Amino acid sequence: MRKLNKAFYERASVETVAQELLGKKLVCIIDNQRVSGIVTEVEAYSGRNDKACHANNELRTARTEVMYGSGGYTYVYLCYGIHHMLNIVTNKEGLADAVLIRAIEPLEGTNIMLERRKANRLKGLTCGPGKVGQALGLNARLHNGLNLESDQIWLEDAPLPEPHQIVTTTRIGVDYAEEDALKPWRFYIKESQWISKK
DNA sequence: TAGGTGATCTTG
DNA sequence: AAGATCACCTAT
């Protein structure tokens, strides 16, 4: 299956890219260990008119810099001192949008993911953004700004889920974002067993 | 339902 | 230079 390319990520609508990432295959080769999974839950964040986004109000710092680059790169950051969160940078250079990968369905390398997560069953293994980062072996210092057409991490094309299989809700954990907390920018696959919260 | 955890950002 | 904040997870 072919890798999703720059044209896919550089599109102007981050909500569209977010929805279309559902069902795609995420492959990661970190520490020589190949693991993969199907994307089951995502959230869109926009650098303009979205108080929930780290790059809101054109905020430009060392951390947010990668989001201002062109689409098709990783944005990995540490949250609450513990969780390494994987985001996909979208849109053109200068426009800081990103999609948070919140859950995947484990596919290849499940033994490695179980070991990294110190778990003994697939149920609950990768349903939540912190769990995804841990299962993939991601680290904010090492894996921020990676090209998604590289051989370390990429997404492979797959058929879109039917519209009726996609559930749309508000985003998790963004209550502080006032009116933007109401944006319906979280998307997940309805019947998937790997969802952070139904 | 509370607490752990540490980088990041803002304020003084 | 210090303190508040934070796109979460796990265990009581």
Side-chain angles (χ1 to χ4, degrees):
Chain A
M1 213 42 111
R2 77 166 208 284
K3 285 181 187 176
L4 296 179
N5 61 25
K6 208 163 184 60
F8 177 91
Y9 299 112
E10 282 202 310
R11 287 176 294 164
S13 165
V14 65
E15 306 103 277
T16 301
V17 176
Q19 287 186 71
E20 294 189 6
L21 282 172
L22 291 176
K24 300 291 188 277
K25 180 171 158 183
L26 172 64
V27 187
C28 225
I29 302 180
I30 304 283
D31 295 330
N32 255 354
Q33 311 272 40
R34 178 184 171 117
V35 302
S36 72
I38 301 296
V39 177
T40 55
E41 179 182 344
V42 296
E43 282 176 358
Y45 289 85
S46 171
R48 299 158 310 290
N49 301 313
D50 178 14
K51 293 192 182 77
C53 184
H54 290 164
N56 177 52
N57 201 23
E58 301 297 304
L59 179 69
R60 204 154 178 158
T61 66
R63 183 172 68 157
T64 62
E65 195 58 31
V66 67
M67 278 201 275
Y68 287 91
S70 66
Y73 288 82
T74 60
Y75 167 41
V76 181
Y77 73 92
L78 183 64
C79 181
Y80 298 110
I82 304 173
H83 310 290
H84 296 270
M85 315 277 266
L86 171 62
N87 296 253
I88 305 302
V89 176
T90 73
N91 216 328
K92 304 264 202 260
E93 187 167 352
L95 300 170
D97 295 346
V99 177
L100 172 64
I101 306 296
R102 292 191 52 90
I104 62 174
E105 174 183 336
L107 218 56
E108 300 165 86
T110 53
N111 55 329
I112 294 162
M113 292 194 271
L114 287 166
E115 188 180 327
R116 284 175 175 156
R117 293 263 306 115
K118 302 195 196 323
N120 48 28
R121 54 174 176 274
L122 295 183
K123 186 173 151 67
L125 187 66
T126 45
C127 58
K131 296 176 177 181
V132 169
Q134 189 178 29
L136 298 179
L138 294 174
N139 179 292
R141 317 243 29 160
L142 300 175
H143 307 122
N144 187 41
L146 296 182
N147 189 331
L148 287 165
E149 292 184 87
S150 74
D151 292 322
Q152 266 187 105
I153 182 166
W154 66 89
L155 282 133
E156 292 183 8
D157 201 8
L160 277 176
E162 296 293 323
H164 72 267
Q165 294 180 291
I166 298 179
V167 180
T168 301
T169 74
T170 53
R171 294 170 293 180
I172 307 284
V174 297
D175 294 344
Y176 64 90
E178 299 167 28
E179 73 273 14
D180 293 326
L182 302 174
K183 282 181 156 69
W185 281 5
R186 172 172 176 250
F187 309 98
Y188 66 85
I189 296 178
K190 193 171 191 174
E191 67 271 21
S192 175
Q193 301 296 293
W194 285 272
I195 299 299
S196 62
K197 188 172 151 212
K198 296 258 185 185

